Amino acid sequence: MTHVIDNVAPATVDSWLPPVAGGLLRRRLHEAFDQGRSGDLLVVTGPAGSGKTTALAMWAADAAGAARIAWVSLGPLDGDPGVFWTSLTTAVDRATGTTGRPETVGLLARSLEQLEEQLIIVLDNGEHLRRSAGMVSALLSHDMPQVRVIFAAREAPAAQLSRLRLIGRLTEVGPDDLAFNPREAAQFWSLRQRTLTPAEATALVDRTGGLAAGVCAPDVHTAGFTDVLADFLRAELLGRLPAEHRDFLLRCSLLDDLDARSAEAVTGRRDAARLLDHLRREHHLLVRPAEEPERLRLRRPYAAFLRDEARLVIAEHLPDVHARAAQHYAERDRPEAALRHAAASGRSQLAAEVGVRVAAPLVLGAAREVFLGLPAWVPARDAVRHPETATVLALAAVARDDEHTAGAYARLARERFGEVATERRLPMQAALCLGDLLLARQREDVEAIGRTMTTLLELLDATVPGLVPAADGMRAIAAECLGYAALWTGDLTLARSSLEASAVHSGQQELTLASGAALGGLALVHALRGDVGQAAQLAYARDPAASDVPEAYRRPARLARGLVLWLRGAASDALTVVGAEPGDRDDRPSAYATGLVRARILLTLGDVPAAREALAAAGPATGPSLLDDWRAVTTAELHLAEGRPAKAVTAAGYAMRDGRTPLDSHACIVAARAHLAGGELNAASRILEAVHRTSATAGPWAQVNAWLAESLIADRLGHEGAVRIAIGTALVIADVDGLVAPFGEVGGEARALLDRNRDLVADYPLLSVRLDAVRPVASVTVSDRLLEDLTDRELAVLRYLPSLLTVRDVAAELSVSQNTVKTHVRSIYRKLSVGTRRDAVGRARRLGLL
C-alpha cells in the first residue's frame, strides 16, 4: 500500500512530515543534506535501522520554514510506475497547493519550473522504486531551479539514477555518514536525562557500530538489549533477503574476513563474488577496510548478530563450514585463522593436522588460547592412534608450561612417527623440535636452548622450502631463544642482533608472545648499558602480562623497567617493579638476575645488610657468565660499602676481562674506586684508562661512573681543572637519558664535589632536581657507626695513613716516639674495626674522617 505523508507545520500548514519527537538535531548531517544544488539528486542510503528517515525528517522540519516539503513514503506497490506517479503528484499538489495532476513527467516538470518557492521532494524507502526509477531520472533531466529531489533507500539507487553521478548531479550520504559518533550518542541520551561518560559513549558506538536503531534503542543499557536488536535485525535484515542469500550470508559471517575465494570455499558457490558485491552495494552490509581494501568485512553490529543467528539457523552445517574455512586458511597461509576454525569444527584430527603443519609457532602467538583449550575437547586416547594428535597435545602442554605432560606426548608421537604420511613427517618433526626448544627456553636452560635450537635449524635448513609451512615462524622463535641465551652468556652483541631480528619477524608472523619476549630481552640489553631511554621504550612496548604466560617470558622486561627506574633515581619504585625475591628452588637466570638487581637497589637505598641478604639469596654460586660477572660486581660494591676495599678489588677481579660487556667495565670501575679508597691513585688511574678505551662497549652508565671516579682522583691530586672537566663530562653523558644512580653509587665524596661545582650542575636543571633527590650509597650504616670516637691525637695520626710515610716518618712529623704512633694506630684499627692500614683509610673516608 502506498502512503503519501505530509507534515502539518506552522510554517507550511498544507504539508506534513513523519513525526520526529525526541530526535537529535545532528548538524553535521544537516550540512551534508544542504550540499546538493537545486535540480540535483541527493541519495541517502543505509541498511535497516541506520536512521535515514529520522535524520531526513528532522532536516526537512528544520528547512520547512524556507521551503515546501513533498514527502512520499514508498511501499512495495510503488514499484508500479502508475502507482508511484499517483503518490508523487499527490504529494507535490499538497505541498504546492496546486490542483489537477499532470499526466506526464514533462507536464509535471513544466509546472515545477514555474515555482517561485523552493520545493523539496523526499522519496523515502526508495528501495521499492526499481521499475519506477526512470520516471525520477526523466524528471531530473528538466531544468527546475526551485526543485530538489532526495532519494532515501536501504539499497543503492537504480542504474537510471546512478547515471547522474557521471555528470556530477548526484550527492551521496552513506551508512558511515549516518552512523552516530560518541559525541552524538552522549548528546542523544542526555536529552533523555541519562549522562554517558566519553568512555561509555565510545563503548556504546563500538557495540552498535553507530547504528541508530542500536544507539537509540530504549533497552540499549539493559541486559535485554541484544535480544531487542536481534529481533529488529531478524525482521528488517534477514527477513527481506531471499532464502539463498540468507544462507550465503550466514555461512560467510563465520569467516574472519571476506573475499570471493573464501566465500566460495565455505559456501561452494561459484557466484560468490557477485553475491558479495550485491550485499555490499545493494544492502550496505559489507565494507572494505581502508587497511585491506582487497577484503571485505561485515558492518557492526551485523557481524555478531549473524554469527549468533548462524548457530541457530544452520547449526547442523557449522562443523562443515568451519572445516572448509580451516582448509582454506591453511592453504592461504593464514595459520591462526586455520587453527581456530579447525578447533571450532570439533574435528580433532583436523585440528591436529592444522596445528602441527601450519600453526605450531602460534603457541607463542595469536592462537595460544586455542592451543590452551585443545586438551578440553581433544580426547587423549586419540594421541595413541594419531601421532599428529600427540604432537599438538604436546604443544598444548608446552603452552601451559607443563613439561612432564609435554614430554609424555612428545615421546608417544616419536614412537609412532613412522605411521605418519611421508609428506607430513617433516612438519611434525619440526613441531616436536620446536616443543623441545620452547621447554628449554621456559626452563631458561642455556645449554639446552643451544642444543635444541641447533637441531631445529639444521632440520629446517635441510628441507626444501615450502615443505614446512611454519618454518618462518619457527625461525623467528629460534632467533628469540638464541638472543636470550646469548644475553645470559654475556655476548650482548649477538643477543642484540638476534633479539632485534626476532622482534621484527615474530611481529610479522603474529607471534605476539615471542615478539614481546624479544622486546623485553632487548630492553634488558639496553638497560645494562644505561641506554635508559631506549630500554624504557622497549620494556613498555608490549607487555606479555597475562597470568597464563610463563614467567620466563615476562621477567626480562620487568628487570629492564626496574633498572630504568633505578638509574633515573626512583630506587623505591624500582624495587616494587622488580618484585619479590624468587623462591629458593628457582635457579633460572632471570630469577638469579632479579636477586642481583634487588641487591644493587637495596645498596643504593643504604640498606647494606638487606643488600647482602638479597645477594646471598640471588641464585647459585655459579651460573651463566653474565650473571657471574654481575654477582662479582655487586659483591665488590658491597665490600666497598662496608669499608673493605681490598676485598672489593679481589671480588671485582673475577669480572675484569677484556671490556666486551658493560659489566666488565663496571668491575673495572669498582676496582678503581677500591684502589682509590686505599690511596692507590696510580692503580686506579690505570684501570680507568682501560675503561675509557672501551667506552663504546661500556655504555652511558659505566661512562658516567668512570668520569666520576676520575673526578675523585683529580681532587686527591689537587687538580681542580681536571675535576671540573671530569664532572662536566659525566653530567653531559648523564643528562641525555636522565641517569642519576651513578652519582649515588660513588659515595659522599663525589657528592661533595658536585656541591662544590654547583655551577656545572645548574646547566642541567632537570638532572639537577633528580640529583638532589638521590643520596649516595650510605657510608654510615648501623655497623659503620663508631662505638668510640677517635681522640684528637688519633685523628692527627689518621691523616698520615693515606700517605706513603712510614711509622718513623709519622713520629718525626708529630715529634713523638714511634711507640706512641704505633699505640695510636692500634687504637685507630680497634675503633674502626679494621685490621690493615688500607682498610683503615677506606673506612675513615667513608665515615668522613678523611
Side-chain angles (χ1 to χ4, degrees):
M1 180 177 179
T2 301
H3 302 279
V4 181
I5 303 177
D6 304 11
N7 177 38
V8 181
T12 52
V13 294
D14 51 353
S15 62
W16 54 286
L17 299 171
V20 291
L24 174 69
L25 193 66
R26 302 164 71 190
R27 285 296 178 191
R28 65 179 182 86
L29 284 182
H30 287 206
E31 290 171 4
F33 297 155
D34 286 336
Q35 286 179 0
R37 301 168 299 178
S38 293
D40 288 354
L41 175 66
L42 170 65
V43 173
V44 182
T45 54
S50 57
K52 303 178 295 297
T53 299
T54 301
L56 277 172
M58 293 202 70
W59 171 78
D62 196 38
R68 293 181 176 272
I69 311 297
W71 188 287
V72 185
S73 184
L74 303 167
L77 295 180
D78 286 293
D80 180 280
V83 176
F84 168 66
W85 185 249
T86 301
S87 302
L88 175 62
T89 54
T90 299
V92 169
D93 286 351
R94 289 184 179 176
T96 60
T98 60
T99 58
R101 296 175 183 174
E103 296 182 1
T104 66
V105 171
L107 291 174
L108 177 60
R110 279 195 290 275
S111 68
L112 295 179
E113 289 171 1
Q114 308 303 316
L115 291 176
E116 295 181 0
E117 293 182 84
Q118 187 179 34
L119 173 67
I120 298 173
I121 302 173
V122 180
L123 304 176
D124 195 18
N125 298 328
E127 63 271 11
H128 298 301
L129 205 59
R130 286 295 176 184
R131 287 190 299 152
S132 306
M135 301 177 75
V136 179
S137 181
L139 181 64
L140 289 170
S141 67
H142 293 270
D143 182 19
M144 299 177 294
Q146 295 296 338
V147 178
R148 286 193 65 195
V149 178
I150 299 176
F151 181 91
R154 296 182 179 184
E155 306 171 2
Q160 297 97 317
L161 300 182
S162 298
R163 284 199 308 249
L164 295 171
R165 186 185 293 112
L166 301 176
I167 59 175
R169 293 187 56 198
L170 182 66
T171 303
E172 296 179 90
V173 174
D176 293 332
D177 303 306
L178 293 168
F180 274 70
N181 59 38
R183 184 177 59 84
E184 291 169 341
Q187 289 174 344
F188 176 84
W189 282 104
S190 70
L191 295 175
R192 283 153 178 73
Q193 311 305 313
R194 184 183 182 98
T195 301
L196 298 185
T197 66
E200 289 172 335
T202 300
L204 175 59
V205 170
D206 286 342
R207 184 158 55 115
T208 60
L211 191 73
V215 171
C216 305
D219 300 313
V220 70
H221 304 290
T222 69
F225 165 69
T226 302
D227 293 335
V228 171
L229 184 61
D231 289 341
F232 173 81
L233 293 177
R234 195 173 290 119
E236 297 296 327
L237 173 64
L238 289 181
R240 293 173 178 262
L241 291 175
E244 60 174 346
H245 289 191
R246 269 201 309 274
D247 183 75
F248 176 85
L249 185 60
L250 290 173
R251 288 171 183 263
C252 290
S253 70
L254 300 173
L255 295 170
D256 299 71
D257 46 53
L258 279 167
D259 58 26
R261 287 179 59 188
S262 59
E264 183 177 344
V266 298
T267 64
R269 295 192 60 140
R270 295 187 177 181
D271 61 346
R274 180 186 63 78
L275 283 176
L276 286 176
D277 191 61
H278 172 77
L279 292 171
R280 181 179 71 86
R281 290 178 178 274
E282 306 300 329
H283 297 281
H284 304 284
L285 298 176
L286 301 165
V287 292
R288 292 192 185 279
E291 64 276 13
E292 291 182 295
E294 72 281 2
R295 291 178 178 165
L296 297 167
R297 72 159 182 259
L298 285 161
R299 290 184 183 275
R300 293 172 301 175
Y302 306 127
F305 161 70
L306 289 170
R307 287 180 187 133
D308 290 341
E309 197 72 3
R311 296 186 185 99
L312 297 173
V313 178
I314 58 169
E316 69 277 14
H317 301 296
L318 289 184
D320 180 62
V321 173
H322 282 299
R324 286 168 172 254
Q327 291 165 347
H328 169 73
Y329 284 125
E331 291 168 1
R332 295 189 68 181
D333 196 23
R334 298 278 303 281
E336 189 265 341
L339 184 59
R340 278 195 299 100
H341 283 286
S345 73
R347 299 175 183 178
S348 60
Q349 192 130 13
L350 176 63
E353 180 185 341
V354 171
V356 169
R357 187 165 64 89
V358 301
L362 291 178
V363 71
L364 292 189
R368 178 177 174 77
E369 292 297 325
V370 180
F371 275 104
L372 289 170
L374 287 176
W377 65 273
V378 175
R381 63 178 180 274
D382 285 2
V384 179
R385 297 194 298 268
H386 306 295
E388 285 174 310
T389 301
T391 303
V392 82
L393 288 175
L395 290 173
V398 169
R400 298 194 309 275
D401 201 13
D402 183 349
E403 184 174 355
H404 176 74
T405 302
Y409 278 125
R411 285 191 297 274
L412 187 59
R414 287 186 168 105
E415 288 171 3
R416 306 182 71 90
F417 181 72
E419 300 174 12
V420 179
T422 304
E423 70 275 8
R424 285 163 33 193
R425 289 181 182 177
L426 278 174
M428 177 176 157
Q429 191 175 357
L432 289 169
C433 289
L434 177 66
D436 293 340
L437 175 60
L438 292 178
L439 286 175
R441 168 65 176 83
Q442 288 163 199
R443 291 196 310 271
E444 301 183 48
D445 185 335
V446 172
E447 291 184 4
I449 287 173
R451 186 172 58 255
T452 54
M453 182 194 65
T454 300
T455 302
L456 174 61
L457 293 180
E458 285 178 350
L459 174 65
L460 296 178
D461 290 341
T463 61
V464 176
L467 289 183
V468 181
D472 289 344
M474 293 180 178
R475 291 182 191 278
I477 291 174
E480 191 279 328
C481 294
L482 172 61
Y484 192 73
L487 167 63
W488 298 126
T489 56
D491 192 344
L492 299 190
T493 301
L494 176 60
R496 181 173 177 174
S497 61
S498 298
L499 291 170
E500 285 176 346
S502 177
V504 172
H505 297 305
S506 296
Q508 293 171 346
Q509 298 292 319
E510 297 183 338
L511 306 178
T512 51
L513 189 56
S515 176
L519 292 174
L522 270 175
L524 186 53
V525 170
H526 284 286
L528 289 171
R529 286 176 42 82
D531 295 321
V532 294
Q534 187 77 1
Q537 183 178 355
L538 292 166
Y540 290 95
R542 189 174 301 148
D543 183 17
S547 59
D548 63 351
V549 174
E551 186 70 13
Y553 296 111
R554 293 187 281 172
R555 270 195 185 134
R558 194 163 65 228
L559 287 171
R561 291 181 203 134
L563 284 172
V564 167
L565 288 169
W566 171 61
L567 287 168
R568 284 181 167 167
S572 297
D573 293 338
L575 205 59
T576 301
V577 168
V578 168
E581 294 179 10
D584 294 338
R585 296 182 180 180
D586 194 347
D587 59 355
R588 292 176 294 180
S590 64
Y592 188 175
T594 298
L596 294 174
V597 173
R598 286 183 58 82
R600 198 69 178 266
I601 296 171
L602 287 166
L603 182 57
T604 300
L605 292 171
D607 194 344
V608 177
R612 186 160 287 286
E613 285 181 18
L615 181 63
T622 60
S625 58
L626 180 86
L627 297 176
D628 287 344
D629 291 351
W630 203 339
R631 176 184 281 275
V633 172
T634 307
T635 301
E637 289 278 7
L638 278 168
H639 285 316
L640 200 54
E642 293 167 340
R644 294 197 288 266
K647 289 188 175 182
V649 170
T650 302
Y654 290 114
M656 291 171 61
R657 296 192 181 91
D658 54 3
R660 67 189 180 94
T661 72
L663 287 175
D664 297 345
S665 300
H666 282 293
C668 292
I669 294 166
V670 176
R673 286 168 47 211
H675 283 299
L676 187 61
E680 300 175 5
L681 275 62
N682 289 334
S685 185
R686 285 195 301 272
I687 292 174
L688 290 177
E689 285 177 8
V691 174
H692 292 315
R693 287 195 298 271
T694 60
S695 60
T697 304
W701 177 7
Q703 290 175 40
V704 173
N705 268 334
W707 282 108
L708 289 174
E710 288 281 12
S711 73
L712 298 179
I713 294 174
D715 183 58
R716 299 279 178 85
L717 295 173
H719 298 161
E720 188 60 29
V723 169
R724 288 178 65 81
I725 290 173
I727 288 178
T729 306
L731 288 170
V732 168
I733 298 170
D735 185 60
V736 174
D737 280 323
L739 290 173
V740 297
F743 295 89
E745 286 184 290
V746 293
E749 198 172 350
R751 180 84 247 184
L753 289 181
L754 286 175
D755 292 339
R756 222 166 69 202
N757 293 275
R758 292 300 297 180
D759 59 314
L760 294 177
V761 180
D763 291 336
Y764 307 96
L766 182 58
L767 190 64
S768 176
V769 171
R770 289 180 174 176
L771 285 173
D772 288 339
V774 175
R775 65 177 185 177
V777 174
S779 58
V780 180
T781 64
V782 173
S783 60
D784 287 327
R785 297 192 186 107
L786 290 176
L787 300 178
E788 184 180 349
D789 291 336
L790 298 182
T791 66
D792 291 342
R793 267 309 193 183
E794 288 167 350
L795 288 172
V797 171
L798 177 65
R799 293 190 184 98
Y800 286 98
L801 295 187
S803 68
L804 299 179
L805 297 178
T806 63
V807 170
R808 179 185 296 176
D809 296 332
V810 173
E813 287 284 329
L814 295 175
S815 300
V816 297
S817 68
Q818 293 183 45
N819 286 335
T820 299
V821 172
K822 289 179 181 177
T823 300
H824 287 321
V825 169
R826 284 195 295 271
S827 179
I828 290 169
Y829 286 1
R830 178 180 59 79
K831 291 180 179 181
L832 294 179
S833 301
V834 296
T836 67
R837 183 171 178 170
R838 174 184 290 175
D839 287 349
V841 170
R843 189 66 173 276
R845 284 202 170 110
R846 287 186 46 73
L847 293 168
L849 300 175
L850 288 175

